[in-house]
Amino acid sequence: MQFSSWILSTIVALSLLAPIARAQEPASAPSPAQTQTKSSTPAKQKAGQPATPPKKQEAQKLTPVVVTATRIEQPIADIGTTITVVEDPQIQEQKIDRVGDVLRQVPGVQVTQSGSPGAVTDVSIRGATSAQTLILVDGVEVNAGATGGFDMSNLTTDNLDRVEILRGAGGSLYGSQAIGGVVNVLSQEGEGAPTASLVSAGGNRATSRQVATVSGAEGNLGYSGAVSYFSTEGFRPVNDNSDNLSLSSRLDYHLGDDTVIRGFARYIASNVSLPDYSVFSGSPLDPAAHDRNEFMLFKGEIEHHFGENLLVRASAFFVRQDLRLNATPYAGNVSSEEDRIPDETRGGLIEAIYTWCAGFRTLGGFDFKDRWVRSDTISVFANFMPPPPLITSVSLFRARRQEYAGYVEQEGSFFNGHVLVTGGFRVDGNSQFGEEVSPAWSVAIPIAKISTTLRGSYSEGFRAPAFNELYYPNYGNPNLQPEISSEYDGGFTTNFGERASLTATYFSRRVKNLIVTVPCKSSPASCVFGSEAGNAARVDVQGVEIVPSFTIARGLTLSGNVTVLDETHADAAGSTAAPLRVAKHTASALLQYVRSANFLPNDRITASVNYIFVGDRDDITLESTVANHAAYNLVNAVVSYAMGIPLNHVHNEEVFARVSNLMDRHYSEAFGFPAPTINVLAGVKLDFE
């Protein structure tokens, strides 16, 4: 609370200093926030490549404007925390169809897919668990109440504007689940003349992908939307097929110059076969197990400017995830299981941004969430000490809680924009465990003479226990306390003209009250397996992220990143336990070539090769023991040719091919779940206007 008081006093002081700072500013020198708004950005920049300092009186490619780091639109170069932006052009050039695959190229991010396309996909930022990584879709939290995490397997890249990845705790603005960081998936806003596109692609293993998109504006209404369908037979000999139907839409209606009403909707229906579901060492693949997932999100938002200084926005949302699993007996396995787990979150948010003067803004907000989950599981398994030969287990529980929070943030620009400071805190209330206070501050120092920006930040966060950890029959512990984190982050970005850049970041995080499986302290009647969830551990992690980028020749660029982690876990008794599925060394590199006017006046060739490396990590084997999981590396390649020949209403025709796992590596990201072998997908894209 002492630190929170310091933050509050800092905010008040910054507000009082605003008139003094305004008096010291030259009248003709607008702040970066005034000159580099999203609407004025003429071109988009690749993620991880900081912009070069603007030159006077010249048209410039401005740095991306982000909202996830501070909830305020702000140039990425002015932010003291570590954030990466992956924009739609880069995603389209590499023909990436899943958000999870976009994240594989982001520093400090590790993606673990448990098998074939559609299988459960977890995201870890800087060694955090998936439940410690907050996932937002158009600003709406989609982490499930039951598990605390979000399965990224079926979230597609259709109709996206960009993906923002905040690395480091975001608890002072987003509350629970943001210990490791925040991933925000943002939809495209419809603008300009109506346009549409069609993508049709197919490949080996009966893989097929079809996408239709539309966007534009009519009068005061902007619209965008997409529908896509993906299917594959997989690569396993038995029961490996999956399919995915995704729909997304966004509407922006401008009531006038001061008011905008927005609507967002997303629906995903997927069917995934589970050949490894009932597999244990030496047993055959499961020929029938499968699950069906249904996801839907609806959000309404209104934004209004009260004069030139005050912006107020309010929103309401509803998210539902429904998992249905069915595993029937087969030869060699007499067990069966049937699950139905609907999970809902609804809530609202209201926040205001007040601009005191150029470079000084205050953000205040309040949000509310109501979470509800129902978990129904019926399992039948063999009894190794008959009679009876089979045992039926029924696990049923219902859970609900309300979460409410208030937060405030102050940003200030000092010394004519040479020091940019942001500070704030959030107070979370929870109907189960009370209140948590999460402060944070950051500073960015641009040094124009050497084209370098220095950054530093401190943040605290927490994670509320998931419903499964609290209430799952024979495992849950209703007395759990939230995980508490603190993190330091510091680094720099240097530009070497327009041909190269280098970003380096050091971070250190500690999480207390880590929720792990511990020996039972309760009565045997309520803990039949001998273990339960408990606050018995602590985790310390520190690491370094290096992000270089080079322009080798005209149209040829090389970018990449290397992350080194040093992570230790300790239980209450002082012994150590290795973190699971966390690689100490990860790396990614992207070599890309783009050239226009090759054979035709408006044609364009794009080719890229992406290399990904994930080092050794400890994992749980099929025998429930911990063992070293070998490192793996893979190469993906893409080539496309856009002709640019106008044909009636078609203004661009493009053919492309993408090869995943080009070297046909045999590896797994999680023990017991082999990763897909080589996959070739070729297709055509038509753009209409």
Side-chain angles (χ1 to χ4, degrees), residues 435-463:
E435 294 183 353
E436 289 294 336
V437 179
S438 304
W441 60 261
S442 67
V443 60
I445 305 175
I447 307 175
K449 290 184 178 180
I450 57 174
S451 300
T452 298
T453 298
L454 305 179
R455 306 184 316 275
S457 66
Y458 172 81
S459 53
E460 296 183 9
F462 78 101
R463 181 178 81 85

Side-chain angles (χ1 to χ4, degrees), residues 153-239:
S153 61
N154 296 305
L155 188 58
T156 66
T157 58
D158 310 320
N159 197 39
L160 287 193
D161 179 68
R162 64 194 187 278
V163 181
E164 299 181 359
I165 305 96
L166 173 66
R167 303 194 295 284
S172 65
L173 287 178
Y174 296 100
S176 181
Q177 267 71 48
I179 285 177
V182 180
V183 176
N184 197 0
V185 179
L186 298 167
S187 298
Q188 191 79 242
E189 179 180 353
E191 297 176 324
T195 61
S197 68
L198 292 175
V199 175
S200 181
N204 62 322
R205 305 199 298 266
T207 303
S208 173
R209 181 172 181 251
Q210 317 298 325
V211 185
T213 63
V214 62
S215 67
E218 292 289 344
N220 294 333
L221 178 65
Y223 57 88
S224 67
V227 56
S228 67
Y229 180 75
F230 172 88
S231 64
T232 182
E233 289 184 354
F235 69 101
R236 311 294 297 280
V238 176
N239 192 34

Side-chain angles (χ1 to χ4, degrees), residues 3-228:
F3 191 82
S4 300
S5 301
W6 180 85
I7 287 290
L8 181 58
S9 63
T10 301
I11 292 171
V12 174
L14 289 175
S15 301
L16 294 175
L17 284 172
I20 300 174
R22 177 171 51 189
Q24 295 174 341
E25 292 176 354
S28 60
S31 71
Q34 290 176 313
T35 60
Q36 299 186 38
T37 62
K38 181 179 177 182
S39 60
S40 65
T41 303
K44 293 184 178 180
Q45 181 183 0
K46 293 181 182 179
Q49 297 182 345
T52 56
K55 300 177 183 178
K56 293 183 180 180
Q57 307 301 325
E58 294 182 11
Q60 294 297 316
K61 183 178 182 180
L62 303 178
T63 59
V65 173
V66 299
V67 297
T68 306
T70 61
R71 287 189 184 265
I72 302 174
E73 287 190 355
Q74 193 172 16
I76 195 171
D78 294 352
I79 297 173
T81 52
T82 307
I83 188 167
T84 296
V85 182
V86 185
E87 298 185 288
D88 179 64
Q90 181 178 345
I91 297 171
Q92 295 303 319
E93 286 174 353
Q94 297 187 60
K95 308 304 177 189
I96 301 176
D97 63 342
R98 305 290 173 107
V99 174
D101 290 331
V102 173
L103 300 177
R104 293 180 187 274
Q105 300 180 32
V106 177
V109 178
Q110 184 177 332
V111 179
T112 303
Q113 180 174 300
S114 300
S116 300
V120 173
T121 303
D122 295 327
V123 175
S124 169
I125 298 180
R126 293 179 171 177
T129 67
S130 61
Q132 294 171 344
T133 303
L134 182 64
I135 309 298
L136 308 176
V137 176
D138 288 314
V140 176
E141 179 180 336
V142 295
N143 290 54
T147 63
F150 179 71
D151 179 8
M152 300 289 293
S153 61
N154 296 305
L155 188 58
T156 66
T157 58
D158 310 320
N159 197 39
L160 287 193
D161 179 68
R162 64 194 187 278
V163 181
E164 299 181 359
I165 305 96
L166 173 66
R167 303 194 295 284
S172 65
L173 287 178
Y174 296 100
S176 181
Q177 267 71 48
I179 285 177
V182 180
V183 176
N184 197 0
V185 179
L186 298 167
S187 298
Q188 191 79 242
E189 179 180 353
E191 297 176 324
T195 61
S197 68
L198 292 175
V199 175
S200 181
N204 62 322
R205 305 199 298 266
T207 303
S208 173
R209 181 172 181 251
Q210 317 298 325
V211 185
T213 63
V214 62
S215 67
E218 292 289 344
N220 294 333
L221 178 65
Y223 57 88
S224 67
V227 56
S228 67

